[in-house]
Amino acid sequence: MKTLEHFIDGKSVAHQGSHFFDLVSPVDGETYALSPDGSQADVDLAYAAAQRAFAVWKKSTPAERQKALLGLADVIEKNAGRLAEAQSRETGQLRHFIEKEEIAASCDAIRFFAGAARCLEGKAAGEYAAGFTSVIRREPLGIVGQVTPWNYPFMMAVWKIAPALAAGNTVVLKPSDTTPVSTLMLAELAAPFFPAGAFNVVLGKAATGSMVVSNPVASLVSITGSVRAGLQVAASAAANLTKAHLELGGKAPVIVFADADLDRAVEIITTAGFFNAGQDCTAATRILVEEAVYPVFLEKLVAKTKSITFGTPDDTDALYGALNSRNQLEQVKGFIERLPAHANIETGGQPGNGPGFYFQPTLITGLKQHDEAIQHEVFGPVMTIQTFASEEEALNKANDVEYGLAASVWTRSHSRAQRFSITLDFGTVWINNHIPLCAEMPHGGFKKSGYGKDLSSYALDEYTRIKHIMCDITE
């Protein structure tokens, strides 16, 4: 039984406390390692290392930061198989999906930020007041405290550290307590390219995460997680007047009009709703279909869903693997058990067979707008289907949730697609597709989906501060 250690100041560091907990693989429900439950002493040690590293890293040139990040991307690619093997054990994800999708996208994001580090923009220097020259500097914030989730542990860690390091900051990061291994491996791979202490990983449960985001040394705290966790982070950040970056949950509407290519829509929507076992905050979970084509669309959707299979990490025919944990499985089951009498389960609705934490792809009809499964994030392989009679009804139903992360519109009408892209209250709107992302474009939502952006130059901006320097030129 392996006992994990924190990664602080460029090396593995033994836990300074006495509390440990089991790491359980969702593939088979078996314990595969012990994790330390990080203490205040561990967190303080990490922040002290990050402060020492910041004194060096903040002086690095954009070219030096680019070189370090490009080196990291290259070494990640060389270790992609090893990373996928480790992460599939801790998440239950399909191994080929991790290697070909998650790790590949992570390397692409790192390379984007490597280039973006050399392209920071600001207002032109000039004489905006007579006799004075004004210059804008973009500077790193300092030490950044970050908390990452379990659904894409490697990629979410990359989304956090890449813009932070590219801007010249240093990092103290706490990964999810159920999926720490791939993040530890990321820190080990990064160590040769950055000053010792530039990227520190402290393991632990929620209390450890609270210590990381409430530390007064942090200049910014960032979390990807639930609304509940985001509210806690925002409150602790406010106590220190610390800048916060929150990427929280979603409940993405998928609006299908009668003129859409229904076969193509069904193919893409089922993948976007069920891949990674539906454990994605932008997943296509809430389908709204125009009444005129609802019967035929539902028939096609049910048939396609029944053909979808789930499996163990090495199953190359499966669309998705296990749910993250026993707790997550119970959460999904709870939503199904609490369905009102007027709901209909068209297919699925049951856990999978075997010792792991699996759940069938599930479609639910008959729900009303304010039912729990419409309003709240299931975070599992469960999609709901509603109907609408008019554009106004479709828009009202789509926007009538507390989340505002992502949405999609399916229609052949260019003008309708444009109208909806303007009026949908979501940070990303796809037209005739759902879920593709690219490093050059921002990811982040509105309302209770949080604030701040991951990916793109907008994310890099958030990890900098703006300083105005004004020089008297009259003498």
Side-chain angles (χ1 to χ4, degrees):
M1 182 70 64
K2 183 177 182 179
T3 300
L4 303 183
E5 295 184 327
H6 310 295
F7 195 87
I8 298 172
D9 207 18
K11 58 184 180 296
S12 296
V13 174
H15 180 34
Q16 296 196 49
S18 58
H19 294 102
F20 294 82
F21 57 90
D22 291 345
L23 292 176
V24 176
S25 174
V27 178
D28 54 16
E30 297 294 325
T31 298
Y32 65 90
L34 290 176
S35 171
D37 195 4
S39 65
Q40 188 64 59
D42 296 313
V43 173
D44 290 344
L45 189 67
Y47 269 99
Q51 283 182 293
R52 291 191 298 271
F54 181 62
V56 176
W57 190 238
K58 70 179 180 179
K59 298 175 183 177
S60 61
T61 65
E64 290 170 335
R65 296 172 201 165
Q66 180 190 46
K67 183 178 180 180
L69 287 164
L70 291 176
L72 175 58
D74 289 346
V75 78
I76 287 171
E77 279 188 338
K78 293 176 182 177
N79 287 272
R82 188 166 67 92
L83 287 162
E85 175 71 25
Q87 183 165 297
S88 67
R89 180 178 57 185
E90 63 180 355
T91 64
Q93 292 171 294
L94 303 178
R95 195 172 298 126
H96 67 88
F97 168 81
I98 299 171
E99 186 168 354
K100 295 180 181 179
E101 300 291 337
E102 184 172 345
I103 292 175
S106 298
C107 291
D108 182 66
I110 292 171
R111 290 179 176 128
F112 167 79
F113 284 113
R118 302 182 73 165
C119 301
L120 287 172
E121 297 179 352
K123 196 174 182 70
E127 290 67 53
Y128 296 93
F132 294 89
T133 295
S134 289
V135 177
I136 293 295
R137 285 178 56 86
R138 277 198 175 271
E139 300 178 340
L141 294 169
I143 320 305
V144 177
Q146 302 176 326
V147 176
T148 50
W150 45 256
N151 55 334
Y152 303 104
F154 188 86
M155 187 167 70
M156 294 296 97
V158 165
W159 283 17
K160 290 284 186 273
I161 69 163
L165 293 171
N169 303 283
T170 56
V171 172
V172 176
L173 184 148
K174 192 205 84 71
S176 168
D177 58 299
T178 63
T179 57
V181 175
S182 60
T183 304
L184 282 176
M185 294 174 69
L186 173 62
E188 292 167 357
L189 292 173
F193 301 100
F194 299 91
F199 174 24
N200 307 278
V201 177
V202 180
L203 307 184
K205 294 191 175 183
T208 308
S210 296
M211 296 173 200
V212 168
V213 299
S214 63
N215 194 292
V217 172
S219 297
L220 177 144
V221 293
S222 176
I223 182 175
T224 297
S226 67
V227 173
R228 176 185 55 78
L231 290 169
Q232 293 172 347
V233 170
S236 64
N240 293 318
L241 289 180
T242 303
K243 185 179 178 182
H245 175 282
L246 311 175
E247 201 284 284
L248 309 178
K251 192 69 178 174
V254 179
I255 306 167
V256 181
F257 285 93
D259 65 342
D261 182 336
L262 299 187
D263 289 329
R264 182 174 181 273
V266 165
E267 188 72 27
I268 294 174
I269 289 168
T270 49
T271 299
F274 295 129
F275 88 106
N276 205 36
Q279 298 170 129
D280 187 299
C281 51
T282 60
T285 58
R286 191 164 55 100
I287 306 173
L288 303 168
V289 184
E290 193 167 8
E291 287 179 350
V293 294
Y294 175 73
V296 64
F297 182 86
L298 180 61
E299 182 180 2
K300 292 175 181 290
L301 190 69
V302 170
K304 177 63 179 178
T305 301
K306 286 182 176 179
S307 73
I308 290 172
T309 60
F310 54 87
T312 55
D314 57 353
D315 188 344
T316 56
D317 294 323
L319 179 62
Y320 65 88
L323 294 173
N324 172 259
S325 64
R326 189 178 303 279
N327 286 343
Q328 191 60 25
L329 177 60
E330 292 302 318
Q331 175 172 305
V332 174
K333 288 168 59 179
F335 271 92
I336 301 301
E337 291 165 357
R338 294 189 300 272
L339 286 172
H342 53 264
N344 300 305
I345 299 176
E346 300 291 338
T347 186
Q350 296 292 327
N353 295 325
F357 310 137
Y358 300 89
F359 203 86
Q360 298 173 349
T362 301
L363 297 177
I364 303 170
T365 60
L367 289 171
K368 298 177 181 179
Q369 183 63 25
H370 290 101
D371 286 335
E372 179 190 32
I374 297 293
Q375 291 293 319
H376 297 287
E377 191 173 33
V378 179
F379 224 59
V382 177
M383 293 198 293
T384 64
I385 306 97
Q386 299 168 270
T387 63
F388 63 86
S390 65
E391 285 192 11
E392 181 181 16
E393 183 183 5
L395 182 63
N396 288 339
K397 284 183 174 179
N399 284 337
D400 184 26
V401 291
E402 64 181 7
Y403 303 97
L405 187 57
S408 63
V409 182
W410 300 74
T411 179
R412 287 187 171 94
S413 169
H414 178 76
S415 59
R416 175 189 285 147
Q418 289 300 306
R419 287 196 301 275
F420 269 74
S421 68
I422 293 167
T423 51
L424 282 166
D425 199 11
F426 297 84
T428 296
V429 177
W430 292 287
I431 298 173
N432 293 324
N433 215 306
H434 194 104
I435 229 158
L437 297 171
C438 56
E440 293 83 355
M441 290 292 114
H443 175 78
F446 309 143
K447 301 189 289 189
K448 287 191 176 179
S449 289
Y451 44 80
K453 299 297 182 183
D454 288 321
L455 301 177
S456 81
S457 59
Y458 295 100
L460 187 60
D461 288 348
E462 294 201 35
Y463 286 94
T464 67
R465 65 184 187 182
I466 298 171
K467 179 184 287 183
H468 171 212
I469 300 172
M470 198 171 195
C471 180
D472 188 328
I473 59 173
T474 58
E475 294 185 7

